[in-house]
Amino acid sequence: MSTTVSTPASHAESANKRYFFDKFGLTERLLERCLGEALSAGGDYADLYFESIASTSIGVDESLVKSASQGVSAGCGIRVISGERTGYAYTDDLSSERLLRAARTASLIANGPTKELVTGFNANESQRPSLYPIPAADSDASLAAKLSLVMRADKAARAFDARIVQVRASYSDELRRILIAASDGTFASDTQPLARLNVFVIAKDGARNSKGTSGGGGRVELDFFEDTKSPEHFANEAARQAILQLNAVAAPAGEMEVVLGPGWPGVLLHEAVGHGLEADFNRKKTSAFAGLIGQSVASSKVTVVDNGTMPSRRGSLNVDDEGAATQETVLIENGVLKGYLSDKLSARLMGIASTGSGRRESYQHIPMPRMTNTYMLNGEDVPEDIIRSVKRGLYAVNFGGGQVDITSGKFVFSASEAYLIEDGKITAPVRDATLIGNGPEALKYVSMVGNDLALDEGIGTCGKDGQSVPVGVGMPTIKLDRMTVGGTGN
């Protein structure tokens, strides 16, 4: 049985493959042998996921460099699927002996006759232009430039107000190279940059303390952190939040109208609705959205998409971690549930198309359906009119942590920046506000959707089953006619 590459890839894609072949001594024959071993006990499908990461991290606390690291790592994860069962093994030694041993270990999940491979790999990456630049290799000069960004953020935050008493700033980036070969002929690769700058501050005024945080980034090069997305921009934003909270009043409690601001508040949409639309939860009937395709699950004003094809966005990918091209997937359209986010396993078992949503944290983890950039589309309402329509309510601009029960859809979110709305006007900032509700139910109370769609600054990290991946969120200003607010005020 011979395996050949049947379709020429682009120059960049070919360079990605050559990286693994040249640096680690891989050959097409070795990939074929590993897949053969993986399917030697039967099984329906097998794949190899090679990964190499070069990373940098710098942290500054109290104007002193408290941490700085650079590292490289590489490994391969080998998966075998047999029915609904998955066998998985990984190794950080990419020698042929260790790869073949990992393949045999993964094969133990299966029980049946040897599975024949599809003849020939397909170089099936999308031929569209890459969604992100590939930075040049790091140098001492670029490391110094990264440290300069962090120190600038520290200085700007301290200069914002004398009540800023503590500042922590950090910068991290990575360049991830991946190569995927699978028994269905998939043969894909990608080089994925990722960078993030973050600022955290504490303000103090007498006995009262408050905090603020800001940051941003994406699949970008270092020059992204200049101009409007400069360290000073993020530092000033974190400091502004902290100073604002010093004089905030206690949040009211009870059911009321709630307005969510544009951008990062889309994290509530991501958690309360997005996870419930991932295919594995629906295949296992553990999602509140299971079996509801074609039914109304939200207000007719609500359309939600997941889009992995947005240039330079934190959640974007040229190909997912199973080698499939990412896409824009409409999840909810005018309130009607249209579909789920699926990987290869869920697509096969559910009889649906894969949406290029198979993602994993690293070669040590199995892929599963995950979001990329998830957001609500624009409506027709003017944001100022949305505020004016509220007699008494809450305007939530920024969110901190939250918890969601996928099965029931119930959620609790803390608002890190929120204001009272009184007689159609934004008034006092509030502290300790929480939003409590049910994801599918909450969307039915959306009565107004603004025309000011914004995406987050590039800070999102999503956790699921112990795995973390970078994501993006967003929404326009929206009004919910009913939502329970938790607080200690009147």
Side-chain angles (χ1 to χ4, degrees):
M1 176 175 56
S2 62
T3 302
T4 57
V5 177
S6 58
T7 306
S10 71
H11 176 74
E13 293 159 348
S14 297
N16 289 338
K17 295 185 181 73
R18 285 200 307 271
Y19 173 82
F20 284 94
F21 281 45
D22 295 344
K23 187 174 183 64
F24 300 106
L26 301 184
T27 64
E28 292 170 21
R29 173 58 181 161
L30 176 57
L31 302 186
E32 177 189 343
R33 289 178 62 199
C34 289
L35 289 172
E37 285 288 349
L39 294 174
S40 61
D44 306 312
Y45 169 87
D47 60 18
L48 316 174
Y49 175 84
F50 293 91
E51 177 186 72
S52 175
I53 300 177
S55 61
T56 300
S57 177
I58 301 171
V60 168
D61 191 352
E62 298 303 293
S63 302
L64 298 174
V65 178
K66 292 295 181 72
S67 63
S69 64
Q70 287 185 308
V72 294
S73 64
C76 176
I78 302 180
R79 176 176 60 155
V80 177
I81 294 175
S82 181
E84 293 193 27
R85 298 177 300 161
T86 297
Y88 199 74
Y90 62 87
T91 175
D92 60 2
D93 182 341
L94 299 186
S95 66
S96 58
E97 294 81 4
R98 289 297 184 91
L99 289 170
L100 290 167
R101 182 187 302 176
R104 286 189 289 270
T105 301
S107 74
L108 297 176
I109 192 69
N111 182 18
T114 299
K115 178 80 172 182
E116 285 292 318
L117 296 179
V118 178
T119 301
F121 288 134
N122 298 312
N124 63 349
E125 298 105 327
S126 169
Q127 297 301 305
R128 66 190 179 198
S130 177
L131 298 171
Y132 27 77
I134 300 177
D138 274 346
S139 63
D140 291 342
S142 63
L143 184 61
K146 296 169 186 178
L147 176 58
S148 174
L149 292 177
V150 181
M151 297 304 294
R152 284 168 55 190
D154 174 88
K155 181 179 179 180
R158 293 180 182 284
F160 186 87
D161 192 290
R163 290 169 288 178
I164 300 296
V165 296
Q166 185 175 352
V167 179
R168 293 201 301 267
S170 63
Y171 172 88
S172 61
D173 65 24
E174 68 176 30
L175 189 63
R176 179 189 305 258
R177 294 180 172 91
I178 63 171
L179 173 67
I180 302 110
S183 60
D184 63 0
T186 296
F187 193 48
S189 63
D190 197 15
T191 299
Q192 301 164 350
L194 189 67
R196 175 176 170 175
L197 180 68
N198 200 69
V199 186
F200 171 84
V201 306
I202 294 177
K204 183 177 177 62
D205 189 357
R208 179 169 290 185
N209 295 315
S210 61
K211 61 184 180 180
T213 184
S214 181
R219 300 197 181 278
V220 296
E221 296 184 275
L222 202 60
D223 60 6
F224 171 85
F225 298 101
E226 297 296 343
D227 303 323
T228 58
K229 303 302 180 183
S230 66
E232 290 78 13
H233 164 77
F234 296 122
N236 290 339
E237 175 60 18
R240 182 196 65 80
Q241 292 177 24
I243 296 300
L244 179 78
Q245 289 297 309
L246 286 174
N247 298 312
V249 301
E255 190 173 87
M256 65 188 70
E257 294 176 307
V258 171
V259 176
L260 302 181
W264 180 245
V267 69
L268 188 147
L269 183 75
H270 167 104
E271 295 287 1
V273 179
H275 277 299
L277 298 180
E278 291 166 339
D280 51 349
F281 292 130
N282 289 278
R283 172 170 58 86
K284 299 170 185 176
K285 309 297 184 185
T286 57
S287 168
F289 292 97
L292 298 183
I293 295 291
Q295 297 186 34
S296 176
V297 296
S299 158
S300 62
K301 293 179 176 289
V302 173
T303 296
V304 178
V305 303
D306 185 87
N307 188 355
T309 70
M310 308 178 77
S312 300
R313 295 298 305 176
R314 182 172 169 85
S316 295
L317 296 165
N318 289 318
V319 295
D320 72 0
D321 294 328
E322 296 180 306
T326 55
Q327 63 182 50
E328 180 178 351
T329 303
V330 178
L331 299 172
I332 298 172
E333 185 174 28
N334 298 327
V336 176
L337 182 60
K338 290 296 185 178
Y340 305 124
L341 296 172
S342 60
D343 60 353
K344 286 184 177 181
L345 174 61
S346 292
R348 179 171 58 83
L349 294 175
M350 297 177 72
I352 61 179
S354 170
T355 57
S357 304
R359 303 190 64 189
R360 63 181 101 198
E361 180 177 328
S362 76
Y363 71 89
Q364 300 179 20
H365 302 84
I366 61 172
M368 63 182 80
R370 304 293 298 270
M371 288 172 275
T372 56
N373 304 296
T374 310
Y375 52 95
M376 186 185 296
L377 296 190
N378 264 333
E380 298 179 350
D381 296 303
V382 177
E384 291 76 12
D385 291 342
I386 296 177
I387 299 296
R388 278 193 288 267
S389 73
V390 178
K391 177 69 173 177
R392 177 181 180 273
L394 189 78
Y395 178 45
V397 179
N398 222 328
F399 283 94
Q403 296 181 1
V404 180
D405 184 316
I406 298 300
T407 302
S408 66
K410 294 180 180 178
F411 63 81
V412 178
F413 274 89
S414 61
S416 58
E417 182 180 354
Y419 303 83
L420 294 175
I421 303 177
E422 299 173 292
D423 295 324
K425 295 181 180 180
I426 298 171
T427 58
V430 301
R431 65 178 185 275
D432 302 326
T434 58
L435 299 185
I436 305 165
N438 178 286
E441 286 299 316
L443 289 185
K444 294 179 181 179
Y445 294 112
V446 175
S447 61
M448 301 181 78
V449 178
N451 57 8
D452 58 341
L453 169 64
L455 299 174
D456 73 287
E457 295 270 29
I459 59 173
T461 298
C462 172
K464 176 181 175 180
D465 290 350
Q467 294 192 44
S468 296
V469 296
V471 296
V473 300
M475 65 164 42
T477 299
I478 68 169
K479 175 185 174 181
L480 298 102
D481 286 340
R482 291 173 53 188
M483 181 170 280
T484 299
V485 176
T488 58
N490 296 320

